[in-house]
Amino acid sequence: EVQLVQSGAEVKKPGESLRISCKGSGYRFTSNWISWVRQMPGKGLEWMGRIDPSDSYTHYSPSFQGHVTISVDKSISTAYLQWSSLEASDTAFYYCARIGYSYVFDPWGQGTLVTVSS
Amino acid sequence: QSALTQPPSASGSPGQSVTISCTGTSSDVGGYNYVSWYQQHPGKVPKVMIYEVSKRPSGVPDRFSGSKSGNTASLTVSGLQAEDEADYYCSSYAGSNNLYVIFGGGTKLTVL
């Protein structure tokens, strides 16, 4: 079974750093891009960016460029989403998803809730 | 680049059909046949219902269908059932120069 398993919920203070993870299994991890998607409380889905696990090439949405970093460790089939300085507005669910040939997101990870509060 | 435009809400009675639209531009929806639709129940993970405009993944009921005309894609749910009540999001490939993928704002489907 193709599966993406994300790390657990996090509670952080503004200004702190954070890295969350997304581990793939059940398929060849380097064969598909991985994307990150943000969903703020009660809001819709926002595409943040994607990474090619085979060469670590990344592409970010202009809305998130410079604020987050997407990386990968293909030796352990894991992608990461990282912040160097969190803001309260980063409070959201973050999902990773495998990108298929036709830019379809499937499957999705179970989501990681990030809460940033002083 | 703005999100694709979806109506905030849609509704129908059990057994009826409802269509949700997703309007973009010639740079996304109109330019590629890479439109997908996702269903998200409250507190759950999004699930793909339609990809490549009109294809259904295995396991998705044939009550769900997709189409596209110009810059507008549509998701039709026929024979509405209570379990179809959820949020629905469209997405489209938007080219590699700027934004690879763009989502719609989402539509809350209510089964009356």
Side-chain angles (χ1 to χ4, degrees), chain A residues 22-45:
Chain A
C22 167
K23 183 175 177 61
S25 62
Y27 74 104
R28 185 177 177 182
F29 189 69
T30 53
S31 294
N32 294 84
W33 298 349
I34 294 288
S35 234
W36 287 93
V37 176
R38 183 175 78 174
Q39 187 168 38
M40 300 178 76
K43 301 299 183 182
L45 305 173

Side-chain angles (χ1 to χ4, degrees), chain B:
Chain B
Q1 196 164 2
S2 302
L4 303 175
T5 301
Q6 295 182 234
S9 62
S11 63
S13 299
Q16 289 186 332
S17 293
V18 64
T19 296
I20 299 170
S21 62
C22 169
T23 301
T25 70
S26 58
S27 296
D28 38 68
V29 174
Y32 309 94
N33 287 324
Y34 292 147
V35 175
S36 302
W37 288 91
Y38 300 89
Q39 177 191 65
Q40 186 180 33
H41 288 107
K44 301 298 185 181
V45 177
K47 172 189 173 184
V48 59
M49 305 302 283
I50 295 288
Y51 67 101
E52 290 183 34
V53 176
S54 60
K55 296 181 179 179
R56 268 189 318 275
S58 60
V60 173
D62 60 7
R63 302 183 293 103
F64 291 85
S65 62
S67 63
K68 190 183 85 167
S69 177
N71 297 337
T72 298
S74 298
L75 173 72
T76 298
V77 186
S78 306
L80 271 175
Q81 299 183 5
E83 60 262 35
D84 299 334
E85 183 162 301
D87 293 324
Y88 291 84
Y89 296 91
C90 62
S91 76
S92 174
Y93 176 63
S96 60
N97 288 339
N98 187 14
L99 194 66
Y100 269 91
V101 173
I102 187 168
F103 282 100
T107 298
K108 169 67 177 176
L109 174 60
T110 300
V111 181
L112 301 171

